[in-house]
Amino acid sequence: MVESRVTTTRSREMSTLVIIGAQWGDEGKGKVVDLLARRARYVVRFQGGNNAGHTLVVNGEKTVLHLIPSGVLQPGVKNIITQGVVVDPFVLLQELEGLEAANALPRPGEGLMISPRASLILPYHRAIDKARELRLAGGKIGTTGRGIGPAYEDVAGRRAIHLGDILDRARLEARLDRVFDERNATLSWLGQEPINREDMVQKLLAAGKRLAPYVREAEAIVRDAVARGEDVLFEGAQGALLDVQHGTYPFVTSSSTNAGAVTTGVGIAPSAVNAVVGIVKAYTTRVGAGPFPSELEGEVADHLRAVGHEFGSTTGRPRRCGWLDLPALRYAHGLNGFTSFALTKLDVLTGLDEVKLCTGYKVKGEVLSIPPSAVNFDEVEPIYETFPGWTEDIKGVQTLDELPESARRFVESIEALVGVPVAVIGTGPGRREVVERGPLWIAEA
Ligand code: IMP
């Protein structure tokens, strides 16, 4: 049983940290979380679902996690999925099987805990997501097809099935009575085969049986951990500009992806968060449709895609590539109040003749440093500052002094032009391939 106590006040010793992708996702958050999880006692996912794909490289072995928090490969870390996440129970089971095969299965109630209030992604959500995309033809969002949008619709529409509901047949049936026929009618309207209810119920109950040992009072456990002053890391998924309300709508995901989502996704006071780390890739990528002012085509884009392995870790799609967009980053900073940046994949820029930063947008002759919410991205002309490239191999470099002068200037310009210190620089995919310049965790004084 979880002790009940008032947990909304800040403890003086605590250090809680939120990791946010500061662009359009795929910034390399998994690696940074994995690095930070060395200190964390808890790693908590609070939004999104298995549309995320966090790639970790440990001892040369690549592991991609979609749903389970990235602290799962760190011994002693408690990984928690709270109610703000939409959970596909079948994907979760597959991911657990993968970890088991790698001898890294988290212990129920220790290594992994999941809220019974997490809303489920069901087969009809996936089918509707895919069928809608097909219908949109030219206007596609380019979703991951994982059922994220339809699942969050059901949360807001009060028709979601929670993880706790599949632990009991009567409860599951009662919940399904509220939604099932309507969802099958939608599928039929979309020209898709209906879902067989009994078959789905049986599979869900079987999944529920296997997942039951992991079901815990996740939100209360996090609140208690914060109150005790434990180091808690909140792991965001997707990126600031994919936020359903503040992103490049409608080319966004269906959850709130910014730091404020910790308070609602976990159920915790805003004052419980004391550092927000923005993960920034040294260039920009997008997967799926939507505005991307600094997008490139041609040789440089090909270099970034090939050297940076810019193919979706969830869908395998080639990512669109371009220069780092500082107006978008300043906007993300406004949404999140970043206390520091972790700059990832600087090594990918090695070998380019010159590297650029998009420092502003020109819109109808006016220069903007931050995109206003009503900006029509089609009218944006990016303004660039150009830096000489470098050819020295910086892969695995661990100190600032070992970076070429031009790479250092590139990093310092980002700091100066956005006003956020770069505390960590990624110089390769491996755990140790980083320059650690300053603390990311900010302990309460
Ligand atoms: P959905 O989240 O599957 O509905 O997809 C909506 C948009 O968000 C699409 O453009 C996806 O490519 C994008 N998206 C969703 N999750 C991620 C992610 O983890 N990284 C990058 N893009 C994502």
Side-chain angles (χ1 to χ4, degrees):
M1 279 298 284
V2 175
E3 248 176 87
S4 96
R5 59 170 105 161
V6 177
T7 55
T8 48
T9 48
R10 280 163 85 103
S11 148
R12 284 179 61 75
E13 315 81 45
M14 81 180 189
S15 183
T16 58
L17 184 150
V18 188
I19 291 285
I20 296 292
Q23 296 156 298
W24 278 281
D26 306 319
E27 297 88 355
K29 291 182 283 295
K31 171 178 161 159
V32 181
V33 175
D34 186 49
L35 186 82
L36 287 165
R38 286 187 301 207
R39 166 167 165 180
R41 293 272 295 138
Y42 292 78
V43 179
V44 181
R45 283 261 333 244
F46 55 94
Q47 51 73 231
N50 61 306
N51 45 348
H54 292 173
T55 308
L56 309 173
V57 180
V58 181
N59 303 331
E61 291 291 320
K62 204 166 123 175
T63 306
V64 183
L65 298 170
H66 297 284
L67 201 50
I68 295 179
S70 302
V72 74
L73 298 177
Q74 294 280 355
V77 170
K78 295 178 197 299
N79 294 277
I80 303 201
I81 298 175
T82 64
Q83 62 81 36
V85 178
V86 283
V87 171
D88 185 324
F90 306 112
V91 169
L92 182 56
L93 284 172
Q94 267 172 18
E95 213 159 282
L96 286 169
E97 281 161 16
L99 287 170
E100 188 171 23
N103 235 342
L105 186 68
R107 289 201 6 234
E110 273 292 317
L112 180 65
M113 296 174 254
I114 311 168
S115 170
R117 290 175 68 101
S119 295
L120 298 184
I121 300 180
L122 296 179
Y124 47 76
H125 295 127
R126 280 197 306 269
I128 290 171
D129 189 6
K130 287 183 189 149
R132 278 191 189 146
E133 282 285 282
L134 279 177
R135 262 192 100 245
L136 281 171
K140 285 188 201 325
I141 304 287
T143 73
T144 59
R146 301 299 189 260
I148 304 296
Y152 275 116
E153 277 168 31
D154 279 356
V155 174
R158 295 160 293 197
R159 297 172 302 218
I161 310 295
H162 289 161
L163 178 58
D165 298 334
I166 62 167
L167 305 182
D168 176 86
R169 181 183 265 267
R171 191 166 152 169
L172 174 59
E173 297 281 8
R175 287 290 165 115
L176 279 174
D177 285 346
R178 300 166 70 98
V179 59
F180 189 81
D181 290 345
E182 201 180 313
R183 283 319 203 176
N184 253 353
T186 308
L187 276 175
S188 137
W189 184 80
L190 287 163
Q192 303 297 310
E193 289 294 310
I195 305 275
N196 180 303
R197 176 164 165 165
E198 180 52 27
D199 180 52
M200 186 184 84
V201 164
Q202 288 202 12
K203 287 185 178 135
L204 284 173
L205 292 172
K209 218 172 191 173
R210 291 174 64 194
L211 292 172
Y214 293 99
V215 178
R216 299 294 155 106
E217 290 295 323
E219 295 79 19
I221 289 169
V222 178
R223 284 192 288 268
D224 277 359
V226 169
R228 281 198 309 274
E230 307 264 15
D231 290 333
V232 180
L233 196 157
F234 298 100
E235 177 181 18
Q238 290 82 51
L241 292 134
L242 287 172
D243 186 285
V244 67
Q245 283 149 312
H246 301 283
T248 44
Y249 195 89
F251 301 100
V252 293
T253 188
S254 294
S255 67
S256 299
T257 56
N258 287 293
V262 171
T263 62
T264 50
V266 178
I268 206 158
S271 55
V273 170
N274 57 14
V276 184
V277 176
I279 315 298
V280 181
K281 190 149 58 182
Y283 48 97
T284 306
T285 59
R286 252 202 110 145
V287 51
F292 184 173
S294 64
E295 183 168 13
L296 294 168
E297 275 172 22
E299 255 176 56
V300 176
D302 293 345
H303 169 104
L304 297 174
R305 193 172 301 113
V307 181
H309 306 291
E310 297 297 352
F311 297 88
S313 46
T314 298
T315 58
R317 291 179 288 179
R319 294 178 184 145
R320 300 157 65 194
C321 296
W323 297 119
L324 183 55
D325 181 334
L326 299 186
L329 208 49
R330 291 185 191 109
Y331 176 67
H333 180 38
L335 295 174
N336 288 286
F338 295 123
T339 46
S340 56
F341 280 149
L343 185 72
T344 61
K345 293 184 137 183
L346 186 64
D347 55 302
V348 173
L349 300 182
T350 302
L352 291 171
D353 294 338
E354 50 185 31
V355 291
K356 296 188 186 189
L357 288 175
C358 168
T359 55
Y361 292 166
K362 205 173 202 177
V363 181
K364 293 187 182 142
E366 200 189 335
V367 174
L368 306 175
S369 60
I370 298 180
S373 42
V375 72
N376 177 357
F377 279 91
D378 294 338
E379 294 173 353
V380 166
E381 193 190 317
I383 301 168
Y384 291 111
E385 186 172 331
T386 303
F387 300 77
W390 60 89
T391 50
E392 297 91 327
D393 186 6
I394 61 167
K395 195 163 174 302
V397 157
Q398 291 179 324
T399 63
L400 205 59
D401 294 345
E402 290 171 83
L403 288 180
E405 163 72 20
S406 178
R408 273 206 307 269
R409 267 191 51 216
F410 182 79
V411 174
E412 284 159 7
S413 299
I414 298 167
E415 289 184 312
L417 292 169
V418 184
V420 177
V422 173
V424 166
I425 304 167
T427 55
R431 256 186 184 167
R432 276 184 255 282
E433 296 177 323
V434 285
V435 178
E436 295 189 58
R437 293 175 76 202
L440 290 169
W441 287 96
I442 301 176
E444 270 304 281

